[in-house]
Structure formats: structure tokens, C-alpha cells
Amino acid sequence: MMPYPSGALPPGTCRRPRARKLTASLAQPCHRLEQILSHPVTRKVLARLAAPRADGRSLFERLSENYDNPRLRGWERVKWKLPSLLIDWGLARAGLDKRTMKEKLFHHPPTVRALALTARSIAQHGLAEPQRFAAPLFVVWNITQVCNLRCRHCYQNAGPRPAPDELTLEERLRVVDELAANGVPFLAIAGGEPLAIRDLWPVLERANRRGLHLTLATNGTLLTAETAARLKECGVKYVEVSVDSADPEEHDAFRGRKGAWAQAIQGIRNAVQAGIRTGLAACFTRRNVHRVDEMVELAISLGCQTFSHFNFIPVGRGRQMLEEDLTPAQRELLLRKLERTLQQGRINVISTAPQFGRACVVYGPQEGVFATGHAGRGRGSKTMVLARYIGGCGAGRCYCAIQPNGIVTPCVYISSLAVGDLRRQSLEQIWNCELFALLSDRSRRGDHCAVCDYQSHCGGCRARAFSYTGDIAAGDPGCVYNYPLWDELAAEAAQELPVLQDQHLQARQAGAVPLPGGD
Amino acid sequence: MPEACVLAGVLAVALLGAWLKARQERRKVAEEARRWRRCLESTAYEAANAANAIRGNVLALRHLHADERQLAHLDEIEQALERMGAALEQVRNPGAGAKRDAALAPRVTAPCSGPDLTG
């Protein structure tokens, strides 16, 4: 861990200069709602609507719960009648279907919570591109260091034994309460392998009771039919299983255990059969990037609703396979392919690469499908407007990670940078730190990320910038518009790491270039 | 007196007619301008994205062992993209016409950096 004094920035931050702008200026579509939401009066109204009351819930949450609620009796029914009628009128004017809105918005607690948090964020920070949130919209919790596999690229460096200072069950339940009290709507449980620990179940039950939208990332080897059914019972809405190749041997070699592929595939089948939304997550390196089409087909054939691309970041054990990281050119082609798959509409495609949002804008049609963030998507220019506010890298802005010992970091891939400890501090204290303010302000970046016309949609991957340069505000060396930075890093690597240089030269002679600096 | 009233009435009707016609014309022109503006914005949006897609791929191509002759063509594409970028800036910010002209002028007359095809 690299702790640093509260309110300060990590050493070496913000030292990269801005680059010359390479992109042509974009005429961004606007929406009337933007003017309304940025008005000072609206901010005041939102602040009142989103402020937590004595019972911990905001007026907005109570309004949503009581909207058209047939269980209300007597005075309560009369009291909420007028607001319900006003909402009905608003929906009719906007041409929205009342039943759908009731099911998917007003009576869906995580969505209500997300909207309440958004209202609170606009009230607190104003309408900003991208939007800085008053609390995390989405938290990824690496609940344990324990894993039954030994994957080559593991960012967590997980293994068979838990970390010595992992949270106890009681502390884990307190973390869930802390997240719920701060109005966090979405929680993803990852690891290690979350299914390998017994504490998972009480944590899931508590989180479900507290109204959190739950998702789970697993290697799938322990995802039996019974486990899948239990996950469904515990309110898990989405399960993501990691599969890195359509070829079992390739996957097993990558994951460090024979038979892992077959178990993961069976795990996906079990989750689909249990009726949970299921995703196939693939991490692409130079070894398997040519298999992207096969992988998408595999996901579709297994009945997955989502294909999830994990952007390989050389951290943890992945540091040892730095030379397998995609070049910016390879990543660009990969994202183009994924964007095309998303437009085809056969399967939902999400990516942890913030450039995916930019790729959807650059390559997709104006009324096509856009990725709005790491997990969202939508069609048309209205979605594109939304993507400007919530799109791109969310680290420290709308998302953070919790490590197995309760340490909070900006992202799962930046586990070496501790910003707070949930054992000793509240989430609110941690969230309002200087580093997260820096990460939320995309104009305070280096290289091309500082001047890029797609800044609102992307912002560059902070984990990759930090991993390669040691500067969390540097440009993302994985983006084609940052090729000068990539070249600079390749030259440094060639000087400092003669072993890599030799590999580079050998590969060049063999016709392939597997190191930073070429394809 | 009645003639004066009739005359005033006719005049009023004629004025009203002229005003209505002018208003209709104004609305038509405004609608036409709105349509052109939408069209221009949409075209600029598509063109900017296409230019940026080309730019990204040119940058990628430069790193794929492009030889001397190919590099000259890539230079030409990049210069053309700069011109497109300046023209698109004009759409975004129509007031910056002089700036745009200044930016465009030297590029239009810049000598070709590609292979010499005259001989």
C-alpha cells in the first residue's frame, strides 16, 4: 500500500504536460434538461428533495415509494395523492408509459437510490461534465484475497490463503451498513473468488435487505446449480463469469488449473438456468485478442445477456506479463470490433476500458447505441448527452473499490494507493478527499487526455496511467491519441529493461512486435 | 365619412394581409434556417467523428512499420485532417472565421511532402 496524508496527492502526480490537440472539435448535442438542471433554483429544489430526513430516507425516496401505492391507507393515501397525480401528469406529457416507469423506476429501490444520489450530487457539485457524485454510485468490493485458481494476470495477486488482516464477518456487515447509509445503490462483489468464503452469504443477505443492487464477479468454478439458486435467493441480479478463451487449453493455462474452462462454462450454464442475468467476462492480451469474435459467439451460445471486456492492466501478477499488454493500435481495433457487436444488438457489450465510450461515439452512427459508462448503454443522441455526464473512467468520481482489509482505493486496479480505511473512517470522510477531487476533474490531466474532445466520454484509464507512469493524472498510454506517450514509455522500457528489449528485437525479426512501441 | 371608413377598413385589411404574409415568410425562413442548422450540426458531428477515427488509425498505422513512402502519404492525410479540423471549428464557432482562414491559408499552399511525381 502507498498511504499518503489525507488531503494530499500521491507523490509524482500531475507532472505530465498537456499534449497538442489531435482530435477535431465535436459539436455536442444538447438537451433542454441540461439547462434546467444547471439552474441555481433547480439545485436548491434537488437539495431539498435529496436531503436525508430523520428516518435516513430522502423526500425523493419516500415520494417514489408512495407513488401510486395501493397499500396506503387513510391519511397517508390522501397525503400522497396529489404528488402521484402530478407525476402521472408529468409522465403523460413526456409520453412515458406509467406501468413501465413504476416497475423500473419508482418501485425499484436501487434506481430510486441512484436518482436520489444523482440529485444530491447535482445539488452539491452542480451539473458537471463529467458529473462528480456525492457518494459512490457503484462500489466494487474485493471481499477476499482467497482464490482457488492462480491466474497469470490477477490484479489482486490472489491465492489460496486469505490476507492476514481481512475483515471479520462483523466488520464486513458493518461495511454493508456503511454503504447503505451513504446511499450507494450498486455493489459488485469480487475477489479473489467470492464464492470461496462462507462470509459471502450473510453479506449478500444483509446487502439485499438494505436495498443494494447486487452483482457478483466469479471465476465460475464453484458456481454449481445449488450455488446459483442461492445467489438468486440472496438477490444477486447479475453474475459475471471470467472466461479468457474459447479454447479450453488456452484458458486453463492462463488460469493455472486444468479443467477450469469446463467448470466456468458449466457455471455460466447454471447461472443462466437459475434465471440470473449472466455475463461472460474476457480479459484480452496479445495472446488472445484475435479470438474476440469466437468469444462473443461463445457468450451468445451460452445464453449470456452481456459480454464484458476487461481491460488488462499490468498490476499485481499481471505486472509479470507486461509485454502481453495490447498496443494502443490493437486496443483501438478491439474496441471497434466490440462497438460493432454492440450495434448489432445480439448481445449487450460492456467494457472496463474508458475508451469504449469514445469508440462508440467515433465509430457509431449518431442515432446508434452508446456505452454510457462501465455498465450502461442506450440508443440515440439523448443517451449521448447522458454519456457526457456519467461516461468514461469513474475512479474516485462515481466509483471506488474496497480491498479485503477495508482499505478504500480509487479502482480495483489501483490497489497500491490507499485513500482511507473503513475500519477507522466513514465512507463520507474518505470520499471527499483531494485525490478523488482530482480524478473527477478531467481538465487536470496530462498528455492528450487533457485536451481530448472526447474527454467527457472517456477521461482515459487512470489505472493504466498510474501503472505505466506512476502519475495518476497522466495521459492513458493505451489510447491511440497518446501514442507519443507510449513511444516515450517504450523507449524508457527499452533502456531500463534490456531483457524486454531483446524480446522486442527478436520478435521484430520474427515479424511480430510484442512490446510497447509496435504491433 | 362612410368612404373614409371603407378606405380605412380596406387599408387595415391590406395591412393585416401584408403583416400575415410577412409573418408567414419570416416563420418559413426561420424554419428553413433551423433545418439548415440541424443539418449542419449533424454533418459536422459525423465529419468530426470520421476525422477523429481517421486520425486515430493514421497514428496507429505510423507504428506498424510504415516505410518512407507510406509515411509521406500519412503526412498528407494528417495535413488534410488539420484542414478538416479547422473547417469544423468554424462550424462550432462561426465567429472565428478570420482565425480559421489564417489557419487554412498556409496549408493550402504548402508544398507537397509526398514523393516527387513530376519527373
Side-chain angles (χ1 to χ4, degrees):
Chain A
M1 288 284 167
M2 191 194 288
Y4 60 92
S6 176
L9 293 174
T13 298
C14 308
R15 59 177 183 210
R16 298 281 316 173
R18 288 164 170 244
R20 185 175 70 89
K21 191 161 91 76
L22 296 173
T23 48
S25 299
L26 208 59
Q28 301 279 12
C30 299
H31 197 273
R32 249 186 73 203
L33 205 57
E34 290 176 275
Q35 284 173 336
I36 298 170
L37 288 174
S38 51
H39 199 279
V41 174
T42 315
R43 276 180 75 175
K44 282 195 180 129
V45 172
L46 290 176
R48 284 189 77 90
L49 274 174
R53 302 280 164 127
D55 61 352
R57 288 180 316 149
S58 63
L59 182 60
F60 183 75
E61 283 168 279
R62 291 179 61 203
L63 188 67
S64 302
E65 190 186 308
N66 294 313
Y67 164 64
D68 202 26
N69 189 344
R71 281 173 299 175
L72 293 179
R73 292 280 170 265
W75 167 238
E76 286 291 306
R77 196 179 174 83
V78 176
K79 198 168 85 177
W80 294 105
K81 189 69 189 170
L82 183 65
S84 295
L85 286 172
L86 276 172
I87 293 173
D88 282 345
W89 176 78
L91 292 179
R93 280 213 57 162
L96 297 166
D97 179 45
K98 182 178 164 177
R99 230 179 74 188
T100 315
M101 292 305 283
K102 205 172 131 181
E103 268 172 34
K104 297 203 167 166
L105 198 152
F106 296 108
H107 292 182
H108 187 247
T111 310
V112 171
R113 199 179 274 208
L115 284 175
L117 176 57
T118 308
R120 193 149 56 98
S121 308
I122 294 172
Q124 196 171 320
H125 300 291
L127 188 69
E129 267 185 53
Q131 186 61 50
R132 187 179 179 198
F133 283 79
L137 190 66
F138 176 53
V139 170
V140 177
W141 186 3
N142 290 333
I143 198 165
T144 181
Q145 192 81 9
V146 176
C147 187
N148 56 337
L149 299 183
R150 200 162 170 82
C151 311
R152 289 182 60 223
H153 68 314
C154 182
Y155 59 80
Q156 194 66 14
N157 215 350
R161 266 185 287 277
D165 55 348
E166 274 190 17
L167 298 175
T168 61
L169 174 60
E170 204 178 303
E171 287 171 326
R172 282 173 173 145
L173 295 176
R174 254 209 319 270
V175 167
V176 173
D177 292 339
E178 179 72 15
L179 296 178
N182 276 274
V184 175
F186 303 105
L187 172 64
I189 310 259
E193 172 49 49
L195 292 174
I197 58 161
R198 262 181 294 176
D199 280 5
L200 174 74
W201 303 106
V203 165
L204 288 178
E205 277 159 17
R206 174 74 69 97
N208 189 33
R209 254 203 323 275
R210 298 297 308 257
L212 287 153
H213 183 276
L214 285 167
T215 61
L216 186 102
T218 168
N219 61 37
T221 54
L222 304 172
L223 192 53
T224 60
E226 296 75 35
T227 311
R230 197 169 171 195
L231 286 174
K232 171 101 176 155
E233 263 172 46
C234 290
V236 173
K237 302 288 189 303
Y238 173 70
V239 169
E240 198 162 78
V241 180
S242 299
V243 178
D244 295 304
S245 177
D247 173 14
E249 277 180 25
E250 201 171 46
H251 174 90
D252 291 353
F254 196 69
R255 295 271 158 185
R257 198 175 89 184
K258 244 188 163 9
W261 187 88
Q263 284 177 316
I265 296 297
Q266 189 53 46
I268 291 178
R269 290 203 174 103
N270 293 336
V272 170
Q273 211 153 26
I276 309 176
R277 259 186 90 81
T278 309
L280 184 148
C283 180
F284 290 109
T285 63
R286 293 183 198 194
R287 276 173 192 259
N288 64 349
V289 69
H290 59 284
R291 290 192 182 272
V292 55
D293 290 332
E294 287 171 50
M295 297 293 291
V296 170
E297 287 306 322
L298 177 67
I300 294 170
S301 69
L302 288 169
C304 293
Q305 287 88 352
T306 300
F307 181 81
S308 174
H309 159 233
F310 266 73
N311 199 20
F312 169 71
I313 310 285
V315 290
R317 271 203 293 278
R319 192 93 206 157
Q320 288 156 24
M321 43 184 279
L322 175 76
E323 71 284 357
E324 288 181 37
D325 191 9
L326 299 179
T327 64
Q330 285 172 325
R331 185 168 295 99
E332 188 68 13
L333 288 182
L334 169 67
L335 294 177
R336 170 71 173 121
K337 248 180 192 183
L338 293 176
E339 182 272 331
R340 213 175 281 159
T341 309
L342 181 69
Q343 299 294 349
Q344 283 167 358
R346 293 168 66 210
I347 190 167
N348 181 28
V349 179
I350 59 177
S351 171
T352 61
Q355 289 92 358
F356 187 53
R358 192 259 298 157
C360 289
V361 179
V362 167
Y363 297 112
Q366 203 168 357
E367 289 304 316
V369 183
F370 295 103
T372 51
H374 286 323
R377 64 155 182 168
R379 185 176 280 279
S381 50
K382 278 183 195 163
T383 309
M384 215 186 93
V385 174
L386 180 68
R388 287 214 313 268
Y389 292 93
I390 60 169
C393 178
R397 181 179 63 85
C398 64
Y399 142 77
C400 68
I402 303 174
Q403 300 302 324
N405 54 1
I407 294 286
V408 175
T409 59
C411 171
V412 289
Y413 294 113
I414 315 178
S415 60
S416 60
L417 206 59
V419 287
D421 185 352
L422 282 172
R423 272 183 170 131
R424 282 190 288 273
Q425 294 161 282
S426 70
L427 184 64
E428 195 181 352
Q429 279 174 319
I430 298 169
W431 186 254
N432 293 316
C433 67
E434 173 60 22
L435 177 65
F436 285 2
L438 169 81
L439 292 175
S440 304
D441 182 356
R442 289 185 183 159
S443 63
R444 289 163 74 187
R445 300 272 200 264
D447 303 288
H448 198 269
C449 289
V451 292
C452 188
D453 280 285
Y454 298 95
Q455 208 176 57
S456 306
H457 300 279
C458 170
C461 176
R462 295 302 90 215
R464 181 176 303 282
F466 188 62
S467 153
Y468 272 92
T469 68
D471 179 353
I472 202 163
D476 176 356
C479 175
V480 275
Y481 298 122
N482 271 320
Y483 245 123
L485 171 61
W486 180 259
D487 284 344
E488 213 178 289
L489 292 168
E492 275 175 30
Q495 277 170 7
E496 286 170 18
L497 303 168
V499 179
L500 294 182
Q501 192 181 20
D502 288 349
Q503 279 180 13
H504 182 67
L505 290 173
Q506 283 163 16
R508 253 185 188 277
Q509 281 156 7
V513 183
L515 249 195
D519 293 51
Chain B
M1 193 62 185
E3 288 87 352
C5 286
V6 169
L7 193 67
V10 168
L11 203 64
V13 168
L15 276 172
L16 181 70
W19 179 74
L20 283 173
K21 202 175 163 194
R23 193 180 69 168
Q24 197 184 4
E25 193 67 23
R26 255 199 329 270
R27 281 186 178 169
K28 214 171 123 186
V29 169
E31 178 56 33
E32 189 90 334
R34 253 200 306 276
R35 223 176 297 143
W36 273 107
R37 198 184 150 165
R38 267 204 302 271
C39 176
L40 192 64
E41 277 174 359
S42 178
T43 309
Y45 172 86
E46 288 291 347
N49 279 318
N52 292 333
I54 296 168
R55 168 75 78 161
N57 285 285
V58 166
L59 287 165
L61 267 176
R62 278 191 186 280
H63 289 76
L64 292 172
H65 328 300
D67 67 23
E68 289 272 316
R69 284 165 306 168
Q70 290 165 338
L71 280 175
H73 287 293
L74 293 178
D75 285 343
E76 284 308 315
I77 295 171
E78 281 199 305
Q79 279 192 23
L81 287 172
E82 298 266 327
R83 290 173 61 193
M84 273 180 78
L88 287 165
E89 192 61 55
Q90 168 85 345
V91 176
R92 258 190 86 189
N93 185 9
K99 207 170 135 193
R100 175 204 164 231
D101 291 344
L104 280 181
R107 291 199 186 92
V108 175
T109 52
C112 175
S113 62
D116 183 8
L117 303 174
T118 51

